[in-house]
mmCIF file of all heavy atoms in Angstrom:
data_model
loop_
_atom_site.group_PDB
_atom_site.id
_atom_site.type_symbol
_atom_site.label_atom_id
_atom_site.label_comp_id
_atom_site.label_asym_id
_atom_site.label_seq_id
_atom_site.Cartn_x
_atom_site.Cartn_y
_atom_site.Cartn_z
ATOM 1 N N ASN N 250 21.415 189.900 29.887
ATOM 2 C CA ASN N 250 22.187 188.739 30.363
ATOM 3 C C ASN N 250 23.474 189.172 31.064
ATOM 4 O O ASN N 250 23.844 188.622 32.108
ATOM 5 C CB ASN N 250 22.525 187.806 29.192
ATOM 6 C CG ASN N 250 21.287 187.172 28.592
ATOM 7 O OD1 ASN N 250 20.252 187.042 29.247
ATOM 8 N ND2 ASN N 250 21.362 186.775 27.327
ATOM 9 N N GLY N 251 24.153 190.165 30.492
ATOM 10 C CA GLY N 251 25.395 190.664 31.076
ATOM 11 C C GLY N 251 25.168 191.313 32.429
ATOM 12 O O GLY N 251 25.909 191.069 33.386
ATOM 13 N N TYR N 252 24.122 192.116 32.531
ATOM 14 C CA TYR N 252 23.808 192.780 33.795
ATOM 15 C C TYR N 252 23.419 191.757 34.858
ATOM 16 O O TYR N 252 23.857 191.841 36.000
ATOM 17 C CB TYR N 252 22.668 193.794 33.595
ATOM 18 C CG TYR N 252 22.225 194.438 34.885
ATOM 19 C CD1 TYR N 252 22.918 195.515 35.421
ATOM 20 C CD2 TYR N 252 21.125 193.939 35.594
ATOM 21 C CE1 TYR N 252 22.534 196.094 36.623
ATOM 22 C CE2 TYR N 252 20.735 194.512 36.793
ATOM 23 C CZ TYR N 252 21.437 195.586 37.300
ATOM 24 O OH TYR N 252 21.043 196.140 38.496
ATOM 25 N N ARG N 253 22.598 190.774 34.472
ATOM 26 C CA ARG N 253 22.165 189.740 35.430
ATOM 27 C C ARG N 253 23.355 188.938 35.940
ATOM 28 O O ARG N 253 23.479 188.663 37.140
ATOM 29 C CB ARG N 253 21.156 188.803 34.750
ATOM 30 C CG ARG N 253 20.477 187.829 35.705
ATOM 31 C CD ARG N 253 19.471 186.959 35.006
ATOM 32 N NE ARG N 253 20.074 186.064 34.046
ATOM 33 C CZ ARG N 253 19.889 186.158 32.727
ATOM 34 N NH1 ARG N 253 19.116 187.098 32.216
ATOM 35 N NH2 ARG N 253 20.480 185.308 31.906
ATOM 36 N N PHE N 254 24.268 188.579 35.035
ATOM 37 C CA PHE N 254 25.484 187.840 35.412
ATOM 38 C C PHE N 254 26.327 188.662 36.388
ATOM 39 O O PHE N 254 26.785 188.153 37.421
ATOM 40 C CB PHE N 254 26.298 187.499 34.156
ATOM 41 C CG PHE N 254 27.646 186.908 34.436
ATOM 42 C CD1 PHE N 254 27.768 185.563 34.754
ATOM 43 C CD2 PHE N 254 28.796 187.689 34.408
ATOM 44 C CE1 PHE N 254 29.015 185.000 35.034
ATOM 45 C CE2 PHE N 254 30.040 187.145 34.680
ATOM 46 C CZ PHE N 254 30.145 185.791 34.993
ATOM 47 N N ALA N 255 26.525 189.948 36.081
ATOM 48 C CA ALA N 255 27.340 190.831 36.930
ATOM 49 C C ALA N 255 26.696 191.026 38.307
ATOM 50 O O ALA N 255 27.389 191.014 39.329
ATOM 51 C CB ALA N 255 27.537 192.176 36.241
ATOM 52 N N TYR N 256 25.384 191.182 38.335
ATOM 53 C CA TYR N 256 24.656 191.379 39.602
ATOM 54 C C TYR N 256 24.801 190.147 40.496
ATOM 55 O O TYR N 256 25.122 190.257 41.680
ATOM 56 C CB TYR N 256 23.181 191.675 39.321
ATOM 57 C CG TYR N 256 22.369 191.998 40.553
ATOM 58 C CD1 TYR N 256 22.197 193.314 40.962
ATOM 59 C CD2 TYR N 256 21.783 190.996 41.321
ATOM 60 C CE1 TYR N 256 21.460 193.625 42.102
ATOM 61 C CE2 TYR N 256 21.054 191.280 42.454
ATOM 62 C CZ TYR N 256 20.892 192.599 42.844
ATOM 63 O OH TYR N 256 20.165 192.884 43.971
ATOM 64 N N ASN N 257 24.549 188.965 39.927
ATOM 65 C CA ASN N 257 24.640 187.714 40.700
ATOM 66 C C ASN N 257 26.061 187.454 41.186
ATOM 67 O O ASN N 257 26.267 186.968 42.302
ATOM 68 C CB ASN N 257 24.142 186.538 39.858
ATOM 69 C CG ASN N 257 22.643 186.595 39.624
ATOM 70 O OD1 ASN N 257 21.924 187.301 40.321
ATOM 71 N ND2 ASN N 257 22.163 185.875 38.636
ATOM 72 N N LEU N 258 27.040 187.787 40.334
ATOM 73 C CA LEU N 258 28.450 187.610 40.696
ATOM 74 C C LEU N 258 28.824 188.519 41.868
ATOM 75 O O LEU N 258 29.466 188.074 42.831
ATOM 76 C CB LEU N 258 29.336 187.913 39.479
ATOM 77 C CG LEU N 258 30.827 187.589 39.612
ATOM 78 C CD1 LEU N 258 31.050 186.083 39.659
ATOM 79 C CD2 LEU N 258 31.600 188.182 38.437
ATOM 80 N N CYS N 259 28.401 189.783 41.811
ATOM 81 C CA CYS N 259 28.697 190.747 42.889
ATOM 82 C C CYS N 259 28.008 190.350 44.195
ATOM 83 O O CYS N 259 28.599 190.468 45.272
ATOM 84 C CB CYS N 259 28.251 192.143 42.484
ATOM 85 S SG CYS N 259 29.269 192.887 41.211
ATOM 86 N N LEU N 260 26.778 189.861 44.074
ATOM 87 C CA LEU N 260 26.026 189.451 45.267
ATOM 88 C C LEU N 260 26.691 188.256 45.948
ATOM 89 O O LEU N 260 26.845 188.219 47.174
ATOM 90 C CB LEU N 260 24.582 189.110 44.872
ATOM 91 C CG LEU N 260 23.626 188.699 45.996
ATOM 92 C CD1 LEU N 260 23.551 189.755 47.086
ATOM 93 C CD2 LEU N 260 22.228 188.441 45.438
ATOM 94 N N GLU N 261 27.125 187.282 45.144
ATOM 95 C CA GLU N 261 27.800 186.094 45.685
ATOM 96 C C GLU N 261 29.152 186.478 46.301
ATOM 97 O O GLU N 261 29.505 186.006 47.385
ATOM 98 C CB GLU N 261 28.006 185.059 44.575
ATOM 99 C CG GLU N 261 28.510 183.735 45.089
ATOM 100 C CD GLU N 261 28.653 182.691 43.998
ATOM 101 O OE1 GLU N 261 28.418 183.010 42.824
ATOM 102 O OE2 GLU N 261 29.022 181.553 44.335
ATOM 103 N N TYR N 262 29.878 187.350 45.612
ATOM 104 C CA TYR N 262 31.198 187.797 46.069
ATOM 105 C C TYR N 262 31.096 188.527 47.406
ATOM 106 O O TYR N 262 31.840 188.252 48.349
ATOM 107 C CB TYR N 262 31.814 188.696 44.991
ATOM 108 C CG TYR N 262 33.205 189.211 45.286
ATOM 109 C CD1 TYR N 262 34.198 188.363 45.776
ATOM 110 C CD2 TYR N 262 33.546 190.543 45.056
ATOM 111 C CE1 TYR N 262 35.474 188.830 46.037
ATOM 112 C CE2 TYR N 262 34.816 191.022 45.293
ATOM 113 C CZ TYR N 262 35.779 190.165 45.791
ATOM 114 O OH TYR N 262 37.048 190.628 46.049
ATOM 115 N N LYS N 263 30.145 189.455 47.492
ATOM 116 C CA LYS N 263 29.965 190.259 48.710
ATOM 117 C C LYS N 263 29.542 189.393 49.902
ATOM 118 O O LYS N 263 30.060 189.540 51.005
ATOM 119 C CB LYS N 263 28.918 191.346 48.447
ATOM 120 C CG LYS N 263 28.860 192.438 49.522
ATOM 121 C CD LYS N 263 27.911 193.536 49.095
ATOM 122 C CE LYS N 263 27.683 194.552 50.196
ATOM 123 N NZ LYS N 263 28.829 195.447 50.392
ATOM 124 N N SER N 264 28.596 188.474 49.664
ATOM 125 C CA SER N 264 28.102 187.618 50.752
ATOM 126 C C SER N 264 29.159 186.605 51.201
ATOM 127 O O SER N 264 29.293 186.318 52.393
ATOM 128 C CB SER N 264 26.819 186.893 50.328
ATOM 129 O OG SER N 264 27.021 186.169 49.148
ATOM 130 N N THR N 265 29.954 186.080 50.249
ATOM 131 C CA THR N 265 31.020 185.119 50.576
ATOM 132 C C THR N 265 32.134 185.785 51.381
ATOM 133 O O THR N 265 32.652 185.197 52.339
ATOM 134 C CB THR N 265 31.604 184.483 49.292
ATOM 135 O OG1 THR N 265 30.553 183.919 48.531
ATOM 136 C CG2 THR N 265 32.616 183.398 49.620
ATOM 137 N N LEU N 266 32.496 187.001 50.980
ATOM 138 C CA LEU N 266 33.546 187.738 51.698
ATOM 139 C C LEU N 266 33.161 187.962 53.164
ATOM 140 O O LEU N 266 33.989 187.829 54.057
ATOM 141 C CB LEU N 266 33.785 189.100 51.031
ATOM 142 C CG LEU N 266 34.877 189.192 49.975
ATOM 143 C CD1 LEU N 266 34.959 190.613 49.440
ATOM 144 C CD2 LEU N 266 36.240 188.777 50.509
ATOM 145 N N TRP N 267 31.903 188.289 53.374
ATOM 146 C CA TRP N 267 31.456 188.544 54.745
ATOM 147 C C TRP N 267 31.332 187.241 55.540
ATOM 148 O O TRP N 267 31.706 187.176 56.711
ATOM 149 C CB TRP N 267 30.117 189.289 54.729
ATOM 150 C CG TRP N 267 29.608 189.555 56.112
ATOM 151 C CD1 TRP N 267 28.608 188.919 56.757
ATOM 152 C CD2 TRP N 267 30.133 190.502 57.050
ATOM 153 N NE1 TRP N 267 28.444 189.403 58.020
ATOM 154 C CE2 TRP N 267 29.376 190.384 58.233
ATOM 155 C CE3 TRP N 267 31.157 191.445 57.000
ATOM 156 C CZ2 TRP N 267 29.612 191.174 59.347
ATOM 157 C CZ3 TRP N 267 31.393 192.227 58.123
ATOM 158 C CH2 TRP N 267 30.627 192.087 59.280
ATOM 159 N N LYS N 268 30.807 186.205 54.880
ATOM 160 C CA LYS N 268 30.574 184.923 55.560
ATOM 161 C C LYS N 268 31.889 184.261 55.976
ATOM 162 O O LYS N 268 32.016 183.746 57.092
ATOM 163 C CB LYS N 268 29.785 183.998 54.635
ATOM 164 C CG LYS N 268 29.269 182.745 55.308
ATOM 165 C CD LYS N 268 28.478 181.907 54.323
ATOM 166 C CE LYS N 268 28.000 180.614 54.961
ATOM 167 N NZ LYS N 268 27.243 179.775 54.004
ATOM 168 N N ASP N 269 32.875 184.262 55.078
ATOM 169 C CA ASP N 269 34.130 183.547 55.328
ATOM 170 C C ASP N 269 35.193 184.395 56.043
ATOM 171 O O ASP N 269 35.955 183.874 56.857
ATOM 172 C CB ASP N 269 34.706 183.016 54.010
ATOM 173 C CG ASP N 269 33.798 181.972 53.383
ATOM 174 O OD1 ASP N 269 32.896 181.482 54.084
ATOM 175 O OD2 ASP N 269 33.974 181.659 52.188
ATOM 176 N N TYR N 270 35.253 185.699 55.700
ATOM 177 C CA TYR N 270 36.345 186.526 56.213
ATOM 178 C C TYR N 270 35.873 187.729 57.048
ATOM 179 O O TYR N 270 36.702 188.519 57.514
ATOM 180 C CB TYR N 270 37.214 187.038 55.045
ATOM 181 C CG TYR N 270 37.729 185.933 54.172
ATOM 182 C CD1 TYR N 270 37.146 185.669 52.932
ATOM 183 C CD2 TYR N 270 38.794 185.123 54.581
ATOM 184 C CE1 TYR N 270 37.607 184.647 52.112
ATOM 185 C CE2 TYR N 270 39.275 184.103 53.770
ATOM 186 C CZ TYR N 270 38.663 183.869 52.536
ATOM 187 O OH TYR N 270 39.122 182.862 51.738
ATOM 188 N N LYS N 271 34.559 187.895 57.216
ATOM 189 C CA LYS N 271 33.974 189.033 57.942
ATOM 190 C C LYS N 271 34.495 190.360 57.381
ATOM 191 O O LYS N 271 34.776 191.315 58.099
ATOM 192 C CB LYS N 271 34.298 188.957 59.447
ATOM 193 C CG LYS N 271 33.763 187.725 60.147
ATOM 194 C CD LYS N 271 32.248 187.689 60.125
ATOM 195 C CE LYS N 271 31.720 186.403 60.767
ATOM 196 N NZ LYS N 271 30.279 186.232 60.566
ATOM 197 N N LYS N 272 34.594 190.404 56.050
ATOM 198 C CA LYS N 272 35.095 191.592 55.372
ATOM 199 C C LYS N 272 34.008 192.174 54.470
ATOM 200 O O LYS N 272 33.371 191.442 53.719
ATOM 201 C CB LYS N 272 36.334 191.219 54.540
ATOM 202 C CG LYS N 272 37.026 192.411 53.899
ATOM 203 C CD LYS N 272 38.212 191.946 53.070
ATOM 204 C CE LYS N 272 38.846 193.120 52.327
ATOM 205 N NZ LYS N 272 39.948 192.675 51.451
ATOM 206 N N ASN N 273 33.823 193.481 54.549
ATOM 207 C CA ASN N 273 32.826 194.153 53.706
ATOM 208 C C ASN N 273 33.516 194.849 52.535
ATOM 209 O O ASN N 273 34.595 195.405 52.693
ATOM 210 C CB ASN N 273 32.039 195.168 54.537
ATOM 211 C CG ASN N 273 30.893 195.773 53.747
ATOM 212 O OD1 ASN N 273 30.324 195.123 52.867
ATOM 213 N ND2 ASN N 273 30.569 197.010 54.035
ATOM 214 N N ILE N 274 32.881 194.799 51.369
ATOM 215 C CA ILE N 274 33.436 195.460 50.181
ATOM 216 C C ILE N 274 32.397 196.452 49.656
ATOM 217 O O ILE N 274 31.212 196.143 49.583
ATOM 218 C CB ILE N 274 33.849 194.422 49.102
ATOM 219 C CG1 ILE N 274 34.549 195.122 47.936
ATOM 220 C CG2 ILE N 274 32.675 193.575 48.640
ATOM 221 C CD1 ILE N 274 35.220 194.182 46.968
ATOM 222 N N SER N 275 32.849 197.635 49.309
ATOM 223 C CA SER N 275 31.923 198.680 48.848
ATOM 224 C C SER N 275 31.546 198.468 47.382
ATOM 225 O O SER N 275 32.203 197.720 46.653
ATOM 226 C CB SER N 275 32.553 200.059 49.020
ATOM 227 O OG SER N 275 33.626 200.219 48.115
ATOM 228 N N GLY N 276 30.512 199.167 46.951
ATOM 229 C CA GLY N 276 30.070 199.084 45.559
ATOM 230 C C GLY N 276 31.120 199.603 44.591
ATOM 231 O O GLY N 276 31.297 199.058 43.500
ATOM 232 N N PHE N 277 31.860 200.650 44.989
ATOM 233 C CA PHE N 277 32.887 201.233 44.114
ATOM 234 C C PHE N 277 34.073 200.272 43.921
ATOM 235 O O PHE N 277 34.646 200.193 42.831
ATOM 236 C CB PHE N 277 33.383 202.572 44.693
ATOM 237 C CG PHE N 277 32.325 203.644 44.672
ATOM 238 C CD1 PHE N 277 31.694 204.037 45.841
ATOM 239 C CD2 PHE N 277 31.947 204.241 43.481
ATOM 240 C CE1 PHE N 277 30.718 205.015 45.825
ATOM 241 C CE2 PHE N 277 30.967 205.223 43.450
ATOM 242 C CZ PHE N 277 30.337 205.613 44.615
ATOM 243 N N ASP N 278 34.425 199.544 44.992
ATOM 244 C CA ASP N 278 35.513 198.554 44.868
ATOM 245 C C ASP N 278 35.097 197.402 43.948
ATOM 246 O O ASP N 278 35.918 196.900 43.168
ATOM 247 C CB ASP N 278 35.890 198.014 46.250
ATOM 248 C CG ASP N 278 36.604 199.056 47.098
ATOM 249 O OD1 ASP N 278 37.256 199.933 46.498
ATOM 250 O OD2 ASP N 278 36.501 199.008 48.335
ATOM 251 N N MET N 279 33.840 196.988 44.047
ATOM 252 C CA MET N 279 33.343 195.926 43.150
ATOM 253 C C MET N 279 33.298 196.411 41.705
ATOM 254 O O MET N 279 33.539 195.639 40.779
ATOM 255 C CB MET N 279 31.959 195.456 43.599
ATOM 256 C CG MET N 279 31.981 194.587 44.842
ATOM 257 S SD MET N 279 30.414 193.723 45.155
ATOM 258 C CE MET N 279 29.367 195.078 45.657
ATOM 259 N N GLN N 280 33.007 197.699 41.519
ATOM 260 C CA GLN N 280 32.992 198.276 40.169
ATOM 261 C C GLN N 280 34.369 198.179 39.503
ATOM 262 O O GLN N 280 34.477 197.868 38.316
ATOM 263 C CB GLN N 280 32.572 199.745 40.224
ATOM 264 C CG GLN N 280 31.065 199.945 40.133
ATOM 265 C CD GLN N 280 30.703 201.391 39.878
ATOM 266 O OE1 GLN N 280 31.406 202.315 40.273
ATOM 267 N NE2 GLN N 280 29.600 201.609 39.214
ATOM 268 N N LYS N 281 35.421 198.443 40.303
ATOM 269 C CA LYS N 281 36.787 198.361 39.775
ATOM 270 C C LYS N 281 37.118 196.947 39.304
ATOM 271 O O LYS N 281 37.739 196.748 38.255
ATOM 272 C CB LYS N 281 37.795 198.788 40.850
ATOM 273 C CG LYS N 281 37.752 200.274 41.165
ATOM 274 C CD LYS N 281 38.637 200.603 42.346
ATOM 275 C CE LYS N 281 38.475 202.051 42.792
ATOM 276 N NZ LYS N 281 39.258 202.337 44.019
ATOM 277 N N GLU N 282 36.683 195.957 40.098
ATOM 278 C CA GLU N 282 36.955 194.559 39.744
ATOM 279 C C GLU N 282 36.116 194.122 38.537
ATOM 280 O O GLU N 282 36.569 193.328 37.717
ATOM 281 C CB GLU N 282 36.698 193.661 40.956
ATOM 282 C CG GLU N 282 37.623 193.975 42.118
ATOM 283 C CD GLU N 282 37.612 192.903 43.187
ATOM 284 O OE1 GLU N 282 37.374 191.733 42.863
ATOM 285 O OE2 GLU N 282 37.845 193.249 44.362
ATOM 286 N N LEU N 283 34.887 194.656 38.455
ATOM 287 C CA LEU N 283 34.043 194.355 37.291
ATOM 288 C C LEU N 283 34.630 194.925 36.004
ATOM 289 O O LEU N 283 34.497 194.337 34.938
ATOM 290 C CB LEU N 283 32.631 194.929 37.488
ATOM 291 C CG LEU N 283 31.575 194.036 38.138
ATOM 292 C CD1 LEU N 283 30.248 194.774 38.218
ATOM 293 C CD2 LEU N 283 31.380 192.724 37.394
ATOM 294 N N PHE N 284 35.269 196.099 36.130
ATOM 295 C CA PHE N 284 35.893 196.735 34.967
ATOM 296 C C PHE N 284 36.985 195.837 34.365
ATOM 297 O O PHE N 284 37.143 195.752 33.149
ATOM 298 C CB PHE N 284 36.477 198.092 35.370
ATOM 299 C CG PHE N 284 36.964 198.914 34.214
ATOM 300 C CD1 PHE N 284 36.073 199.516 33.347
ATOM 301 C CD2 PHE N 284 38.325 199.061 33.979
ATOM 302 C CE1 PHE N 284 36.528 200.262 32.263
ATOM 303 C CE2 PHE N 284 38.787 199.804 32.916
ATOM 304 C CZ PHE N 284 37.884 200.421 32.051
ATOM 305 N N ILE N 285 37.738 195.165 35.249
ATOM 306 C CA ILE N 285 38.790 194.232 34.787
ATOM 307 C C ILE N 285 38.148 192.999 34.145
ATOM 308 O O ILE N 285 38.565 192.545 33.079
ATOM 309 C CB ILE N 285 39.702 193.822 35.970
ATOM 310 C CG1 ILE N 285 40.411 195.055 36.542
ATOM 311 C CG2 ILE N 285 40.711 192.775 35.539
ATOM 312 C CD1 ILE N 285 41.011 194.858 37.914
ATOM 313 N N LEU N 286 37.108 192.459 34.802
ATOM 314 C CA LEU N 286 36.405 191.280 34.273
ATOM 315 C C LEU N 286 35.758 191.567 32.928
ATOM 316 O O LEU N 286 35.674 190.694 32.068
ATOM 317 C CB LEU N 286 35.322 190.825 35.257
ATOM 318 C CG LEU N 286 35.725 189.898 36.395
ATOM 319 C CD1 LEU N 286 34.545 189.662 37.305
ATOM 320 C CD2 LEU N 286 36.227 188.554 35.857
ATOM 321 N N ASN N 287 35.274 192.797 32.769
ATOM 322 C CA ASN N 287 34.577 193.194 31.543
ATOM 323 C C ASN N 287 35.450 192.996 30.299
ATOM 324 O O ASN N 287 34.958 192.653 29.220
ATOM 325 C CB ASN N 287 34.155 194.666 31.664
ATOM 326 C CG ASN N 287 33.033 195.016 30.723
ATOM 327 O OD1 ASN N 287 31.922 194.532 30.865
ATOM 328 N ND2 ASN N 287 33.331 195.839 29.742
ATOM 329 N N LYS N 288 36.771 193.206 30.473
ATOM 330 C CA LYS N 288 37.702 193.043 29.345
ATOM 331 C C LYS N 288 38.030 191.577 29.080
ATOM 332 O O LYS N 288 38.316 191.184 27.947
ATOM 333 C CB LYS N 288 39.000 193.805 29.636
ATOM 334 C CG LYS N 288 38.806 195.315 29.707
ATOM 335 C CD LYS N 288 40.105 195.998 30.104
ATOM 336 C CE LYS N 288 39.918 197.517 30.221
ATOM 337 N NZ LYS N 288 41.162 198.186 30.654
ATOM 338 N N GLU N 289 37.961 190.761 30.126
ATOM 339 C CA GLU N 289 38.378 189.355 30.013
ATOM 340 C C GLU N 289 37.257 188.421 29.530
ATOM 341 O O GLU N 289 37.524 187.416 28.887
ATOM 342 C CB GLU N 289 38.895 188.866 31.374
ATOM 343 C CG GLU N 289 40.165 189.588 31.829
ATOM 344 C CD GLU N 289 40.584 189.185 33.231
ATOM 345 O OE1 GLU N 289 39.850 188.414 33.872
ATOM 346 O OE2 GLU N 289 41.656 189.656 33.684
ATOM 347 N N ILE N 290 36.010 188.735 29.862
ATOM 348 C CA ILE N 290 34.881 187.867 29.485
ATOM 349 C C ILE N 290 34.254 188.389 28.199
ATOM 350 O O ILE N 290 33.851 189.557 28.110
ATOM 351 C CB ILE N 290 33.833 187.803 30.621
ATOM 352 C CG1 ILE N 290 34.475 187.260 31.901
ATOM 353 C CG2 ILE N 290 32.658 186.929 30.220
ATOM 354 C CD1 ILE N 290 33.600 187.335 33.129
ATOM 355 N N ASP N 291 34.145 187.517 27.190
ATOM 356 C CA ASP N 291 33.701 187.922 25.846
ATOM 357 C C ASP N 291 32.296 188.504 25.820
ATOM 358 O O ASP N 291 32.061 189.555 25.229
ATOM 359 C CB ASP N 291 33.777 186.729 24.878
ATOM 360 C CG ASP N 291 35.210 186.293 24.635
ATOM 361 O OD1 ASP N 291 36.107 187.157 24.788
ATOM 362 O OD2 ASP N 291 35.442 185.117 24.311
ATOM 363 N N PHE N 292 31.321 187.813 26.456
ATOM 364 C CA PHE N 292 29.936 188.277 26.353
ATOM 365 C C PHE N 292 29.671 189.549 27.164
ATOM 366 O O PHE N 292 28.665 190.226 26.953
ATOM 367 C CB PHE N 292 28.937 187.171 26.728
ATOM 368 C CG PHE N 292 28.885 186.820 28.185
ATOM 369 C CD1 PHE N 292 28.040 187.488 29.062
ATOM 370 C CD2 PHE N 292 29.685 185.804 28.698
ATOM 371 C CE1 PHE N 292 27.990 187.158 30.395
ATOM 372 C CE2 PHE N 292 29.635 185.468 30.034
ATOM 373 C CZ PHE N 292 28.788 186.150 30.890
ATOM 374 N N LEU N 293 30.601 189.902 28.081
ATOM 375 C CA LEU N 293 30.499 191.175 28.792
ATOM 376 C C LEU N 293 31.140 192.307 27.996
ATOM 377 O O LEU N 293 30.665 193.446 28.045
ATOM 378 C CB LEU N 293 31.165 191.079 30.163
ATOM 379 C CG LEU N 293 30.471 190.275 31.259
ATOM 380 C CD1 LEU N 293 31.270 190.350 32.544
ATOM 381 C CD2 LEU N 293 29.046 190.740 31.508
ATOM 382 N N SER N 294 32.191 191.995 27.268
ATOM 383 C CA SER N 294 32.933 193.027 26.521
ATOM 384 C C SER N 294 32.119 193.634 25.384
ATOM 385 O O SER N 294 32.408 194.743 24.931
ATOM 386 C CB SER N 294 34.239 192.449 25.975
ATOM 387 O OG SER N 294 33.969 191.371 25.089
ATOM 388 N N ILE N 295 31.075 192.908 24.891
ATOM 389 C CA ILE N 295 30.251 193.453 23.797
ATOM 390 C C ILE N 295 29.128 194.360 24.312
ATOM 391 O O ILE N 295 28.373 194.922 23.528
ATOM 392 C CB ILE N 295 29.654 192.313 22.925
ATOM 393 C CG1 ILE N 295 28.819 191.352 23.774
ATOM 394 C CG2 ILE N 295 30.737 191.586 22.152
ATOM 395 C CD1 ILE N 295 28.097 190.290 22.963
ATOM 396 N N CYS N 296 29.023 194.494 25.641
ATOM 397 C CA CYS N 296 27.985 195.349 26.250
ATOM 398 C C CYS N 296 28.580 196.705 26.643
ATOM 399 O O CYS N 296 29.793 196.845 26.779
ATOM 400 C CB CYS N 296 27.404 194.687 27.497
ATOM 401 S SG CYS N 296 26.629 193.094 27.191
ATOM 402 N N LYS N 297 27.700 197.677 26.828
ATOM 403 C CA LYS N 297 28.131 198.999 27.284
ATOM 404 C C LYS N 297 28.634 198.885 28.724
ATOM 405 O O LYS N 297 27.940 198.348 29.584
ATOM 406 C CB LYS N 297 26.961 199.977 27.199
ATOM 407 C CG LYS N 297 27.396 201.429 27.228
ATOM 408 C CD LYS N 297 26.242 202.368 26.956
ATOM 409 C CE LYS N 297 26.733 203.809 26.916
ATOM 410 N NZ LYS N 297 25.635 204.762 26.685
#
């Protein structure tokens, strides 16, 4: 569930950034933002 949520979130984020602002974000930059989210969301924090 955690992986599926993170995947869908990254896919929506990447496509929205390009559609609205014509900006591309790399996988490593998304990883950094996921690391912050991982601490804030309860059901993600219990996963590896």
